Amino acid sequence: MSSSQQPFRLAVIGSGPAGVYAAETLLRSAPVKSGELEVSIDLFDRFPAPFGLIRYGVAPDHPRIKGIITALHRILGRGDIRFLGDVEFGTDLTAEDLRTHYDAVIYATGALKDADLRIPGIELEGSHGAADFVAWYDGNPDYPRTWELDAESVAVIGNGNVALDVARVLSKSADELLRTEIPANVHEGLQAARTTDVHVFGRRGPAQTKFSPLEARELAHPKGLQVVMDPRDLEQITEAQWEAIKADKRTDQVVQTFVGWLEEQQRREAAGEEPTDREGGPVQRRLHMHFWHRPVEVLGEDGKVTGMRFERTRLEEAGELVGTGEMVDYDLGAVYRAVGYHGSELPGVPYDARRGVILNQAGRVTEADGSVIPGAYTNGWIKRGPVGLIGATKSDAIETITCLLEDIEAGRLSPAPERDDDAILRLLEDRGVQYTTWDGWMALDEHEKSLGAAAVDADGEPRARIKVVEREEMVRVSREGAPQPTHA
């Protein structure tokens, strides 16, 4: 690998963890650090602000996950990666444009659509994808500003992180969320919500949830909330299964949290005591945890959700989940499916519609016949599917960048015809694209913090931030608050 007169030009599509870590992995690679390879990286995002899933796909009351933004901010703030926001791939820029201006491209667009739950009635009014609800409460500019929350009893289908986030947001009072960065319209919507009972359903048992021990415990934290357990869900765990649970520390801690809730619930019932929240206060909302429930049908009347039917399940000794034939119906006014994410197809990029990923081999994008497309790579959930957290994304980036460096070394990549760094800016401007920059994000960041400082939470303390929702306002603040790049 030898240094050329001009740097290797790379475009990364998507500024969430998958995109940022791919760029950072290349910058930290041995050839780049030694000076053997010089690189120029442009990071594009369809939103005016960076950070992708961390800004628009994580519950606002999850500060530990939001803290990942600090790490991403540190990387992008160094100045060796150029951020260009509010640029829509497939509309503002095409795959052909990228081939003209860059030696290679990495697609890291994630997976933000809801996976399907193919059961009768799922299309009824009041049946929602959890990802859509997450986008609403996270202030995604491409979603409506209002959300109908008039159902008193709602179901959340799934036992993963997203189901947990949705259940927690639905269970908390709106004022509790003022400690977070939720936009004003979200606070208003949650404040007007009529929800009193949130039911969380999982196909398997308490030991098979995806929750961490801390996340499980936090379910009971909201003020005015009572967690309701069904004794049957723990009673049907076999002796052998209990032994397996106790052999795994994480699983045991999660299950013991559920056991503790049930024991306290039964103690109060036996003593004839009224239920309370965890601080001894009055109950205003209830969170019902249901395990061993397989979704069968969403029930409805006049085109609207009125309930849901489930089949009770059990685990056989070999670990296979089977139905018991026992059907259970629940009266519900809304259903949120949180059964996974699915990646979206990108124009001009080979795609596996069944798995929701870009066709690839170890990060090299391929045609349907398996032949590698030179200079095209992918990383993150759009590469491998929506499983795993940040650690897996970093491992993905190492694999993808290793392939990229191998291809550079082997001379498999053709140089881009247009090598001027500013040519892409001229192209965007000629097309009327009001792109945003890193300096623009810094201006928007300060603006959102100033909005928070001017408001107070339920305890009368200044809020850390209030997120701007309107795309036009995000672009205005970004572009007015930072000088635009100058170029010939």
Side-chain angles (χ1 to χ4, degrees):
M1 190 176 299
S2 59
S3 175
S4 60
Q5 288 184 334
Q6 293 181 311
F8 182 84
R9 291 184 48 73
L10 174 69
V12 180
I13 309 301
S15 69
V20 174
Y21 287 133
E24 169 72 349
T25 301
L26 178 59
L27 290 171
R28 292 174 63 87
S29 67
V32 174
K33 291 181 73 174
S34 69
E36 187 181 357
L37 177 68
E38 185 182 354
V39 297
S40 170
I41 303 176
D42 283 345
L43 186 70
F44 295 92
D45 202 285
R46 60 189 293 263
F47 295 116
F51 310 132
L53 178 70
I54 303 302
R55 181 173 167 94
Y56 291 120
V58 175
D61 62 345
H62 251 190
R64 291 177 304 283
I65 302 298
K66 289 286 186 180
I68 297 167
I69 284 184
T70 302
L72 302 182
H73 198 286
R74 190 180 304 117
I75 293 170
L76 294 183
R78 292 195 313 247
D80 49 4
I81 301 170
R82 184 168 63 175
F83 172 73
L84 296 171
D86 204 36
V87 179
E88 179 79 31
F89 176 78
T91 303
D92 301 325
L93 277 182
T94 65
E96 185 58 39
D97 294 328
L98 296 176
R99 282 191 288 270
T100 299
H101 291 82
Y102 298 94
D103 303 317
V105 57
I106 297 175
Y107 298 102
T109 50
L112 289 177
K113 288 198 310 181
D114 284 289
D116 290 335
L117 179 60
R118 301 189 180 191
I119 59 174
I122 199 67
E123 76 291 341
L124 289 169
E125 183 182 337
S127 172
H128 310 285
D132 292 337
F133 184 56
V134 172
W136 173 73
Y137 67 60
D138 265 339
N140 185 315
D142 295 339
Y143 282 74
R145 303 296 173 260
T146 59
W147 191 276
E148 191 172 282
L149 292 165
D150 59 353
E152 294 182 359
S153 293
V154 304
V156 180
I157 313 302
N159 269 178
N161 293 329
V162 176
L164 209 64
D165 286 352
V166 169
R168 209 173 50 253
V169 170
L170 288 169
S171 300
K172 279 188 172 180
S173 68
D175 284 352
E176 277 188 281
L177 289 168
L178 283 176
R179 299 189 188 103
T180 75
E181 62 185 30
I182 63 164
N185 66 293
V186 176
H187 176 254
E188 291 167 7
L190 292 172
Q191 202 167 34
R194 297 175 57 193
T195 308
T196 58
D197 291 83
V198 178
H199 298 259
V200 180
F201 295 94
R203 291 187 307 125
R204 297 176 181 270
Q208 287 76 46
T209 64
K210 304 297 184 183
F211 314 156
S212 71
L214 180 59
E215 287 170 333
R217 289 193 297 271
E218 284 180 341
L219 275 173
H221 280 197
K223 187 176 180 181
L225 182 72
Q226 176 198 8
V227 178
V228 181
M229 300 293 298
D230 183 344
R232 290 183 61 189
D233 291 344
L234 291 165
E235 289 168 357
Q236 78 173 65
I237 299 176
T238 66
E239 219 173 285
Q241 289 166 0
W242 274 119
E243 289 180 10
I245 288 168
K246 290 173 182 175
D248 183 284
K249 183 178 180 181
R250 183 203 69 82
T251 302
D252 188 44
Q253 288 178 338
V254 170
V255 175
Q256 288 307 319
T257 297
F258 300 138
V259 170
W261 290 341
L262 177 59
E263 289 177 345
E264 175 62 15
Q265 176 182 313
Q266 292 176 326
R267 184 196 68 77
R268 286 184 178 278
E269 290 172 354
E273 296 178 6
E274 289 294 320
T276 68
D277 68 10
R278 72 185 190 97
E279 296 179 350
V283 171
Q284 298 167 323
R285 294 168 307 283
R286 288 164 293 275
L287 178 65
H288 306 258
M289 301 298 296
H290 303 276
F291 300 101
W292 313 110
H293 279 64
R294 181 181 69 83
V296 172
E297 181 181 2
V298 179
L299 307 174
E301 190 174 316
D302 298 328
K304 297 182 178 181
V305 171
T306 58
M308 196 158 178
R309 177 166 297 153
F310 295 85
E311 179 185 19
R312 294 281 306 189
T313 62
R314 62 179 175 83
L315 277 182
E316 295 193 325
E317 291 305 316
E320 182 183 358
L321 185 75
V322 297
T324 65
E326 179 187 351
M327 298 295 172
V328 189
D329 290 357
Y330 294 86
D331 292 331
L332 301 161
V335 172
Y336 293 81
R337 69 182 187 277
V339 295
Y341 283 126
H342 196 79
S344 299
E345 185 173 4
L346 299 175
V349 183
Y351 176 72
D352 181 341
R354 182 182 64 83
R355 295 179 56 218
V357 299
I358 291 173
L359 292 174
N360 74 95
Q361 296 174 2
R364 291 183 176 98
V365 178
T366 68
E367 298 285 8
D369 63 3
S371 58
V372 172
I373 300 175
Y377 304 85
T378 185
N379 190 49
W381 282 3
I382 197 64
K383 168 188 174 182
R384 60 183 161 83
V387 292
L389 300 174
I390 297 302
T393 298
K394 290 182 175 180
S395 299
D396 269 354
I398 292 171
E399 179 183 62
T400 295
I401 295 303
T402 297
C403 291
L404 171 61
L405 292 172
E406 288 174 354
D407 292 344
I408 295 173
E409 175 69 30
R412 299 188 187 110
L413 306 182
S414 301
E418 177 55 75
R419 308 205 59 78
D420 181 356
D421 268 355
D422 291 335
I424 197 71
L425 303 183
R426 292 192 292 270
L427 177 68
L428 292 173
E429 290 172 0
D430 288 346
R431 291 176 178 175
V433 179
Q434 298 289 297
Y435 61 85
T436 59
T437 64
W438 180 254
D439 285 342
W441 157 247
M442 295 296 288
L444 178 59
D445 185 39
E446 287 303 314
H447 178 71
E448 291 185 341
K449 289 176 180 176
S450 70
L451 292 176
V456 295
D457 63 19
D459 297 322
E461 297 294 326
R463 297 178 61 187
R465 175 194 300 273
I466 297 177
K467 190 182 289 183
V468 175
V469 178
E470 298 291 343
R471 181 182 290 268
E472 294 77 10
E473 179 68 0
M474 293 172 70
V475 172
R476 183 193 67 77
V477 172
S478 297
R479 290 179 67 87
E480 290 182 3
Q484 297 307 299
T486 57
H487 50 79

